[in-house]
Amino acid sequence: MKKLFSAVILCAIAAGAYFFLSSGDYAQKTGKAVARGNLKTGIYKVAYDQADFRGWKAFFSMQVDETGEVKTVKYDYEGKNGVNKTQDAGYNRAMKNKNGLGPESYCPRFEKSLIIYQDPAKVDAITGATHSYHTFKDFSTAAFAAAARGDTTPISVKQPETVDPAAKEKK
């Protein structure tokens, strides 16, 4: 019985070691999160192809250094007037009044979390910023997949919100 138990434990350890050591290859093939240090050096950018119905266009960039780790991240939305959401005092004030926080606080939190965890899947949502969280997660996952391949071609994502949902309901 002890031999069987020892064999099972040994197999579990071997399987865990195999999974851990091969996770980078798996990630590159599937486009899922890539293990720390398995990214190619470069700057990776993702943005919507156009602004949403409110006039905001989300964009994301990350820089991967020679060690294969994410060193800088920028996530924001550019407005029609060229001002970003994080810098738009009026927008931030309105969001704080409505949700308790604005993009000037949640965008940097998403950025910092990605640098700390080095994995888009480990970045947590923030209450009051659910929509921006999903965009951040989609963009960072796409950037990680490109960084795993070393493809620094900017990624353009089709904007899903070109029409106000309230206008669709009135039809």
Side-chain angles (χ1 to χ4, degrees):
M1 186 69 165
K2 285 185 178 183
K3 286 183 181 181
L4 178 62
F5 182 72
S6 295
V8 170
I9 295 297
L10 200 59
C11 286
I13 292 170
Y18 174 77
F19 177 76
F20 177 75
L21 294 173
S22 67
S23 63
D25 292 334
Y26 170 77
Q28 288 177 3
K29 291 175 190 169
T30 63
K32 303 221 176 188
V34 178
R36 177 179 234 150
N38 287 348
L39 304 176
K40 308 279 189 294
T41 303
I43 297 174
Y44 300 90
K45 297 179 179 184
V46 183
Y48 279 133
D49 62 345
Q50 62 182 319
D52 65 15
F53 66 92
R54 292 180 193 94
W56 297 104
K57 182 179 175 183
F59 65 91
F60 173 94
S61 70
M62 72 177 191
Q63 181 178 14
V64 176
D65 72 3
E66 62 282 343
T67 67
E69 293 187 7
V70 177
K71 289 299 177 190
T72 62
V73 175
K74 179 67 179 164
Y75 173 62
D76 211 329
Y77 294 74
E78 183 178 7
K80 291 182 230 177
N81 58 1
V83 175
N84 291 343
K85 270 188 181 181
T86 58
Q87 303 301 312
D88 187 319
Y91 185 85
N92 277 280
R93 191 171 31 260
M95 287 298 294
K96 282 181 186 177
N97 290 338
K98 183 178 179 182
N99 295 353
L101 78 158
E104 69 183 357
S105 61
Y106 64 72
C107 285
R109 285 174 57 188
F110 290 141
E111 296 165 354
K112 184 176 180 181
S113 291
L114 187 60
I115 292 169
I116 291 169
Y117 295 117
Q118 299 286 310
D119 182 349
K122 292 182 179 176
V123 175
D124 289 330
I126 299 170
T127 302
T130 305
H131 184 269
S132 291
Y133 166 74
H134 289 295
T135 301
F136 179 84
K137 193 110 170 186
D138 291 345
F139 283 14
S140 59
T141 300
F144 262 67
R149 298 186 309 272
D151 183 358
T152 58
T153 305
I155 299 168
S156 179
V157 176
K158 184 168 177 45
Q159 171 58 258
E161 296 183 330
T162 55
V163 178
D164 184 348
K168 288 180 184 178
E169 292 173 10
K170 292 178 184 176
K171 288 185 178 182

